[in-house]
Amino acid sequence: FSSRRRHTRCSRDWSSDVCSSDLPERVGVDLAGGMVAKARARGLYTEVLQAEANAYLASGTDAFDLITAADTFGYMGDLMPVIAGCARRLAPSGALAFMVKQKLGEGFALDPQGYYVHAESHVLTAAAQADLVVAARHEAPFRHHDGRAQPALYFVLVKPA
C-alpha cells in the first residue's frame, strides 16, 4: 500500500478491529446513527461519519489504501455503483476487501431473512467494470448472529498501479 495508509470502512462491520493497528488514518462510515455512536465510543477510528456509502464515496476526492466492507454488502442489492465508487476512491495499488453472502445463479436477490445475496458473476462483472483486479477470492460460511451458517464469498480487489 502507499504511504498515505488511509483506511475506510463502509457501514455495519467491525473489520477495523483486525486491520487498524498499523493504519494511522481510519474513517468509519455508517448510515445508522446508532452504529455511528457505537463506532465513536469504541475509539478505533480517527473519523466517523454518518452517511450512505455511495453518497460518501461520491462526495470526496481523497484516496484510500484500503476499503473494507466485511458485513456491508448484504444491505445493498446491485453492487456495481458501490464497487465503482470504491474504485474511484482507491489509491493506485489500493485494495477493497469485502464479503458477500453467496447466491447461486446470476445477479442478486433478497434472502428469507431480508439480506441481499450476490452471485459471484455479479461481483466479478462489477469488479471488471470498475477496472479492479481480483487479488484473492475465498469461499467460507458466514455465521449470522443467530448461529446460522450461510455460504459466503470473500474478495480482495486491487486497483492497478
Side-chain angles (χ1 to χ4, degrees):
F1 299 109
S2 75
S3 60
R4 292 211 44 212
R5 306 290 294 190
R6 286 180 56 90
H7 166 249
T8 190
R9 176 205 60 84
C10 290
S11 185
R12 298 213 182 269
D13 69 73
W14 301 109
S15 55
S16 61
D17 290 352
V18 278
C19 64
S20 66
S21 61
D22 68 338
L23 298 171
E25 293 182 69
R26 296 167 309 282
V27 179
V29 179
D30 202 299
L31 182 59
M35 295 299 285
V36 168
K38 286 180 182 180
R40 286 185 177 137
R42 293 184 75 196
L44 296 172
Y45 300 99
T46 53
E47 183 178 8
V48 180
L49 304 168
Q50 185 172 357
E52 191 276 330
N54 286 315
Y56 172 76
L57 292 166
S59 69
T61 58
D62 50 336
F64 293 95
D65 298 297
L66 175 63
I67 298 175
T68 61
D71 186 22
T72 303
F73 293 165
Y75 298 92
M76 301 177 180
D78 185 1
L79 296 181
M80 295 197 192
V82 72
I83 289 177
C86 289
R88 190 178 74 74
R89 294 293 293 273
L90 282 173
S93 300
L96 167 61
F98 63 95
M99 67 78 83
V100 294
K101 295 165 189 125
Q102 187 175 21
K103 176 187 183 299
L104 299 178
E106 300 296 319
F108 56 91
L110 281 172
D111 70 9
Q113 290 74 38
Y115 296 100
Y116 283 99
V117 293
H118 299 87
E120 182 172 14
S121 61
H122 179 72
V123 173
L124 296 177
T125 298
Q129 287 183 357
D131 295 323
L132 296 176
V133 176
V134 177
R137 177 209 170 275
H138 180 71
E139 268 183 71
F142 172 82
R143 297 237 176 253
H144 288 272
H145 303 288
D146 63 7
R148 285 181 303 109
Q150 183 170 358
L153 298 169
Y154 299 79
F155 289 93
V156 176
L157 307 179
V158 174
K159 183 175 186 173

